[in-house]
């Protein structure tokens, strides 16, 4: 599904991502972990096209998308959420979802053609998505007035609404209680069963080890270990990156 | 003093002003309230529309041709200003577009062969359409409101369409909008062109209403502040906000005439009034009367 080759991103002298390579298999849930500043979010930004890499290549579904702008990659099926939630706060929750549908008739030439029927259908679809994440009763509130957890659910639902089959979640478990965390996990597993591939950055180890088929560990911009969760947990380089090196 | 309210010509003049100010406010609101970009170049579009309309009209062309030509000229200016700047962030667009206003102002004063420079262009006729003269104030009132209402309906339809919703996502969070697959640069350019187009339409009805355009104090900072006050007082991001804003601002503007002050002070006090309102709005109620919270304008 995703193949990252020799990816490199330099800000001045800082190598945020340093010749990093890994793959995400279709249909999998892949975790991306690493200490703060390891380059995880930069990697996400490079994959979704919000930043251009200094070097290296990104392949999605076999196609080299390295030079594609963000919106083109999104249309090719890459969806994502953000570490600092990015919803549309002054728009209704339901409109946050509706605008994300690829069939949303939002071309300028659509303005003076009848789209009422299509819009009604999208409303129904959006309500269903909101119901799936359990915030259907908040559909007509401004998204900015939702609670933190509800905003997170809304953002995930919005990524799903784009029709993406490859969804990147940046810290979905951060700052939410256990009940909500379980709800998010169940939702991810349900979508995964329906065929969506997930790539998840997370600091909550229990959550990520529990949900992932495979984990990529980054440190100082480079992948230092790739493997099944149980392999990763016992990998000395990973332990070192997280806990520091034992003094000899 | 109050007999003025029974003076039909005064009232017609009042509502003629309100008509083109509503349209200028609505068109600026597309950029400021919906796309969420600070655009200080709107007066430049207004000026370009006015000169194009006036010059063509005085050559004897048909009213609707002139009105449309003025709008197209403004729209082209919108494209020219938009293409290089719309990749920038809002603050930088603000500065670049202010430069644009200054350039247009400067050209209007110095291209004396076309604009007559500081003398301005007097004697702009009011049109005759299908043999009906719109010269009298009450007839022109009907024409300017017809143009404003038709334009307003089109703008309303645009802003409340799915296309308009995407403009709002740009205002709310353009990074997120990109990751939803929206080519936001395209939307921004379209919005800029449409906004400038309707500024050009408003410019046409403005020019034939006053029957004079130009002069050293026209199409510059005072007019810019007037438009900003209309949008921000009514509320950026609200269609009806701009309508209400235009009405209230013009009531205040005209209200100054009734203050017991020297005649020579009326102009400066009028300008100080709406400029102060703008400052107060930005401090105490940045949403205006009924607008949205436009992040970029407030950070």
């Amino acid at each position: 599904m995703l193949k990252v080759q020799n990816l490199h991103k330099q800000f001045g002298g800082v190598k945020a991502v340093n010749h990093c390579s890994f793959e995400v298999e279709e249909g999998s849930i892949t975790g991306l972990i690493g200490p703060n500043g390891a380059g995880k979010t930069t990697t996400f930004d490079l994959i979704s096209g919000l930043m251009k890499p200094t070097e290296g290549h990104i392949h999605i579904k076999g196609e080299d998308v390295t030079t594609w702008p963000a919106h083109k990659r999104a249309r090719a099926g890459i969806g994502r959420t953000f570490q600092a939630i990015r919803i549309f706060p002054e728009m209704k929750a339901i409109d946050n979802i509706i605008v994300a549908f690829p069939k949303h008739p939002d071309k300028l030439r659509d303005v003076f053609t009848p789209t009422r029927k299509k819009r009604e259908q999208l409303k129904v679809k959006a309500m269903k998505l909101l119901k799936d994440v359990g915030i259907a009763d908040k559909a007509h509130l401004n998204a900015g007035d939702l609670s933190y957890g509800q905003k997170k659910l809304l953002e995930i639902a919005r990524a799903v609404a784009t029709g993406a089959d490859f969804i990147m979640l940046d810290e979905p478990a951060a700052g939410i209680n256990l009940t909500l965390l379980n709800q998010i996990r169940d939702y991810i597993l349900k979508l995964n069963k329906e065929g969506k591939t997930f790539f998840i950055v997370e600091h909550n180890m229990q959550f990520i080890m529990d949900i992932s088929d495979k984990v990529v560990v980054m440190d100082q911009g480079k992948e230092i270990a790739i493997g099944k969760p149980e392999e990763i947990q016992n990998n000395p380089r990973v332990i070192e990156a997280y806990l520091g090196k034992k003094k000899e | 003093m109050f007999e003025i309210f029974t003076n039909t010509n005064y009232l017609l003049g009042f509502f003629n002003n309100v008509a083109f100010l509503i349209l200028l406010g609505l068109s600026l609101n597309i950029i400021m309230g919906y796309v969420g970009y600070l655009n200080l170049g709107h007066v430049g579009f207004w000026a370009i529309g006015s000169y194009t309309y006036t010059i063509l009209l005085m050559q004897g062309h048909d009213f609707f041709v002139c009105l449309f030509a003025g709008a197209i000229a403004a729209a082209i200016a919108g494209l020219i200003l938009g293409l290089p700047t719309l990749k920038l962030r809002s603050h930088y667009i603000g500065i670049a577009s202010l430069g644009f206003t200054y350039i247009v102002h400067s050209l209007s004063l110095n291209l004396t062969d076309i604009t007559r420079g500081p003398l301005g262009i007097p004697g702009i006729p009011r049109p005759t359409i299908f043999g009906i003269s719109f010269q009298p104030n009450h007839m022109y009132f009907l024409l300017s409101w017809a143009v404003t209402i038709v334009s307003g309906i089109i703008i309303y339809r645009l802003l409340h369409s799915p296309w308009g919703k995407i403009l709002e996502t740009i205002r709310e969070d353009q990074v997120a909008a990109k990751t939803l697959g929206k080519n936001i640069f395209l939307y921004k350019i379209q919005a800029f062109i449409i906004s400038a187009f309707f500024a050009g339409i408003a410019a046409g009805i403005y020019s034939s209403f006053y029957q004079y355009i130009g002069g050293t104090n026209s199409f510059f900072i005072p007019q810019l502040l007037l438009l900003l006050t209309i949008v921000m007082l009514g509320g950026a991001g609200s269609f009806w906000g701009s309508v209400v804003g235009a009405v209230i601002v013009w009531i205040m503007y005209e209200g100054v005439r009734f203050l017991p002050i020297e005649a020579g002070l009326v102009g400066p006090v009028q300008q100080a009034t709406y400029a102060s309102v703008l400052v107060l709005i930005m401090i105490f109620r940045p949403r205006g009367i009924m607008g949205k919270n436009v992040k970029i304008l407030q950070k």
Side-chain angles (χ1 to χ4, degrees):
Chain A
M1 177 59 91
L2 169 75
K3 197 166 151 194
V4 170
Q5 277 177 320
N6 197 29
L7 197 65
H8 193 74
K9 178 68 183 180
Q10 203 154 340
F11 299 104
V14 181
K15 291 166 183 159
V17 177
N18 190 2
H19 300 289
C20 186
S21 302
F22 58 85
E23 275 180 52
V24 174
E25 284 77 21
E26 190 171 346
S28 74
I29 298 179
T30 302
L32 177 60
I33 62 170
N36 290 316
K40 304 182 296 294
T41 296
T42 307
T43 304
F44 264 31
D45 286 347
L46 290 168
I47 295 169
S48 55
L50 296 175
M51 284 182 194
K52 297 269 170 281
T54 319
E55 262 181 69
H57 290 274
I58 297 161
H59 293 263
I60 293 283
K61 300 173 196 167
E63 206 154 357
D64 188 342
V65 301
T66 315
T67 57
W68 292 15
H71 64 90
K72 198 173 165 194
R73 295 192 203 189
R75 281 184 211 158
I78 305 180
R80 74 167 287 186
T81 66
F82 295 86
Q83 195 178 347
I85 301 172
R86 285 181 178 270
I87 47 159
F88 306 127
E90 293 270 325
M91 294 168 69
K92 287 178 187 167
I94 191 167
D95 285 334
N96 269 258
I97 303 290
I98 289 175
V99 294
F101 289 122
K103 285 195 178 152
H104 186 238
D106 51 24
K107 301 269 178 302
L108 189 52
R109 64 168 181 272
D110 295 330
V111 171
F112 295 98
T113 55
T115 54
R116 188 177 295 267
K117 210 174 158 192
K118 204 180 219 172
R119 289 159 78 175
E120 289 302 322
Q121 288 169 351
L122 293 183
K123 238 181 225 169
V124 174
K125 269 179 80 179
M127 277 311 287
K128 194 183 164 300
L129 260 174
L130 289 174
K131 207 174 275 168
D132 285 348
V133 295
I135 51 172
D137 54 329
K138 306 286 188 282
H140 294 283
L141 291 182
N142 272 356
D145 294 337
L146 302 183
S147 75
Y148 181 77
Q150 290 164 343
K151 285 177 188 164
K152 275 198 123 135
L153 292 167
L154 180 66
E155 201 191 18
I156 295 173
R158 191 181 64 185
V160 174
T162 64
D165 42 16
F166 177 66
I167 299 177
M168 304 197 287
L169 305 177
D170 200 345
E171 299 198 21
I176 56 175
N177 67 36
L178 198 60
T179 322
L180 197 54
L181 182 59
N182 288 333
Q183 193 190 332
I184 287 181
R185 190 197 55 207
D186 293 344
Y187 190 52
I188 294 171
L189 290 172
K190 172 178 168 264
L191 291 168
N192 180 243
K193 208 170 272 174
E194 291 167 8
K196 294 197 189 296
T197 308
F198 280 89
F199 190 33
I200 305 172
V201 164
E202 189 46 69
H203 284 297
N204 182 330
M205 285 304 140
Q206 202 189 340
F207 174 82
I208 200 77
M209 293 301 171
D210 181 38
I211 200 173
S212 303
D213 304 309
K214 183 176 108 174
V215 175
V216 177
V217 188
M218 280 180 83
D219 188 28
Q220 296 177 4
K222 188 145 184 63
E223 83 287 0
I224 58 168
I226 298 174
K228 291 207 164 65
E230 50 271 26
E231 296 164 13
I232 292 297
Q233 280 163 319
N234 299 316
N235 184 314
R237 284 196 67 187
V238 176
I239 295 167
E240 187 189 312
Y242 269 94
L243 299 176
K245 206 170 181 173
K246 218 193 249 171
K247 275 190 183 152
E248 297 292 325
Chain B
M1 174 174 154
F2 291 100
E3 60 269 25
I4 202 150
F5 292 112
T6 54
N7 178 336
T8 333
N9 269 335
Y10 174 78
L11 289 176
L12 287 171
F14 179 90
F15 285 109
N16 265 313
N17 273 296
V18 168
F20 74 78
L21 287 176
I22 285 176
L23 194 45
L24 284 166
L26 283 175
S27 54
L28 179 57
N29 198 1
I30 297 173
I31 300 301
M32 298 238 318
Y34 285 80
V35 182
Y37 272 36
L38 181 57
N39 174 19
L40 305 177
H42 214 60
V43 172
F45 302 146
W46 179 2
I48 288 168
S50 278
Y51 280 109
T52 309
Y53 169 87
T54 299
I55 290 162
L56 290 175
L57 194 72
M58 292 182 83
Q59 287 171 358
H61 292 283
D62 182 73
F63 169 73
F64 287 109
V65 171
C66 299
L67 193 67
F68 198 66
I72 291 290
I76 291 170
L79 177 68
I80 292 170
L81 176 63
L83 273 179
T85 56
L86 285 177
K87 295 239 179 203
L88 302 175
R89 300 196 62 119
S90 177
H91 318 68
Y92 298 104
I93 293 206
I95 295 165
S97 59
L98 184 59
F100 174 77
T101 287
Y102 186 73
I103 291 169
V104 175
H105 176 70
S106 177
L107 288 175
S108 78
L109 290 184
N110 292 301
L111 289 177
T112 42
D113 291 347
I114 304 170
T115 65
R116 294 187 11 116
L119 295 174
I121 305 178
I124 303 168
R126 288 180 181 171
T128 299
I129 303 163
F130 301 126
I132 303 164
S133 168
F134 287 88
Q135 175 63 36
N137 274 341
H138 66 279
M139 291 305 286
Y140 197 73
F141 165 88
L142 294 177
L143 180 64
S144 59
W145 275 93
V147 171
T148 296
I149 288 170
V150 169
S151 305
I153 289 170
I154 296 171
I155 293 173
Y156 184 90
R157 177 101 203 222
L158 283 162
L159 292 177
H160 294 84
S161 73
W163 179 82
K165 278 270 176 291
I166 302 302
L167 299 191
E168 293 197 67
T169 68
I170 297 172
R171 174 193 71 210
E172 296 290 294
D173 194 323
Q174 54 174 308
V175 170
K178 277 187 209 168
T179 63
L180 300 183
K182 313 300 176 192
N183 183 357
I184 60 164
F185 184 68
L186 182 69
Y187 287 92
K188 286 192 271 190
I189 284 284
Q190 289 170 340
F192 230 67
I193 290 172
I194 289 167
S195 165
F197 179 90
F198 285 106
I201 295 278
I205 55 175
Y206 157 84
S207 305
S208 269
F209 169 61
Y210 278 104
Q211 306 191 279
Y212 170 83
I213 60 166
T216 42
N217 282 320
S218 69
F219 304 126
F220 206 39
I221 306 296
Q223 290 76 13
L224 174 58
L225 289 173
L226 184 71
L227 297 188
L228 289 177
T229 310
I230 289 170
V231 173
M232 297 315 293
L233 174 68
S238 160
F239 177 91
W240 293 107
S242 294
V243 177
V244 171
V247 173
I248 294 180
V249 165
W250 203 248
I251 288 173
M252 289 189 311
Y253 189 91
E254 285 291 306
V256 172
R257 285 182 201 275
F258 302 103
L259 295 177
I261 51 174
E262 276 178 56
L265 280 175
V266 168
V269 172
Q270 283 175 328
Q271 292 181 5
T273 306
Y274 60 74
S276 319
V277 168
L278 181 59
V279 172
L280 293 174
I281 279 286
M282 293 316 290
I283 296 172
F284 294 109
R285 196 176 160 82
R287 276 172 188 266
I289 293 169
M290 54 178 75
K292 299 252 160 96
N293 202 1
V294 181
K295 269 181 294 182
I296 302 175
L297 298 179
Q298 287 160 33
K299 260 184 192 161

